[in-house]
Amino acid sequence: MKRSEIQDAVGDLGWRYVLGTIRATVPVGSIGQAAEVAARCAAAGDARLQLQLTKDHVLLTLPAEAIESARRLTATVREEGLATGPGGTQLVELAIDALDIPAVKPFWRAIFAYEDEQGYPNAVVDPLGVGPAVWFQQMDAPRPQRNRIHFDISVPHDEAPARIEAALAAGGTLVSADRAPAFWVLADAEGNEACITTWQGRD
């Protein structure tokens, strides 16, 4: 199906097509109600259904082709006196421009503790499905100025050494440890920077 056909099929149900998925949120009044809604949806739904719960809403995500499942889930939610809607259905991706993608991709896979995205050789994703995807856009010429963006990855204090070691083994360099263990600054093969941060050294 075309993207427009998918959106037309689910739009009136409160679902939205976003990056190869269809997504909807269910506003709730408490984390307890969110858990109840999630349990009902899991029981009524599709093994491919992904759920994220907060005290305010339940986010439902399905593959784009799962239109019948979206209809079934919407009916389940309505039986509870609730509704599916488009609020909060955005997806965030981080894009890193690179001249040599194979040289920098392993660093970012290691520093985020991500894995390769199936079917997309220039992207890495969170295996838990929580963090944003990172993809690499091919540059055709170097930029002489310093990049003005970096990522802070806050990790448990006892995980930091292994994360740093993995990033270095993947071709990264240690730019600075002056503020360790509060944070270490590392860079990929093209100078894009990331900080591994912990709670330590901040009191």
Side-chain angles (χ1 to χ4, degrees):
M1 294 180 71
K2 295 180 179 178
R3 293 172 178 86
S4 58
E5 293 172 335
I6 294 168
Q7 180 55 60
D8 287 346
V10 300
D12 289 344
L13 301 174
W15 292 68
R16 295 293 181 268
Y17 176 90
V18 184
L19 278 177
T21 67
I22 49 176
R23 295 161 64 88
T25 53
V26 183
V28 296
S30 68
I31 193 67
Q33 187 180 28
E36 291 172 5
V37 169
R40 289 289 304 273
C41 288
D46 182 312
R48 299 168 294 175
L49 174 66
Q50 295 181 357
L51 294 158
Q52 294 180 16
L53 284 65
T54 73
K55 64 181 178 62
D56 300 312
H57 68 269
V58 178
L59 174 61
L60 311 173
T61 303
L62 288 164
E65 67 273 12
I67 292 168
E68 289 305 317
S69 292
R71 291 187 177 121
R72 189 166 57 251
L73 289 168
T74 299
T76 297
V77 167
R78 288 175 178 172
E79 288 171 3
E80 298 296 308
L82 301 171
T84 48
T89 56
Q90 72 175 9
L91 280 169
V92 175
E93 291 184 303
L94 306 178
I96 297 174
D97 296 342
L99 287 168
D100 187 349
I101 292 172
V104 301
K105 179 182 168 187
F107 171 85
W108 294 101
R109 184 173 54 222
I111 207 161
F112 282 119
Y114 274 17
E115 60 188 26
D116 291 337
E117 184 173 12
Q118 295 298 316
Y120 295 92
N122 287 350
V124 293
V125 293
D126 184 350
L128 299 179
V130 177
V134 178
W135 66 282
F136 303 89
Q137 180 167 274
Q138 186 67 56
M139 287 173 37
D140 56 9
R143 294 181 189 145
Q145 74 273 24
R146 183 181 184 274
N147 287 319
R148 291 181 291 170
I149 188 170
H150 73 272
F151 301 111
D152 289 341
I153 302 99
S154 297
V155 301
H157 66 281
D158 49 359
E159 187 179 326
R163 189 70 64 89
I164 293 165
E165 183 179 344
L168 295 175
T173 56
L174 181 64
V175 175
S176 174
D178 292 348
R179 295 288 305 277
F183 62 87
W184 294 257
V185 183
L186 298 104
D188 70 14
E190 295 188 2
N192 302 299
E193 294 181 357
C195 293
I196 295 293
T197 79
T198 77
W199 61 266
Q200 293 180 320
R202 298 175 183 273
D203 293 332

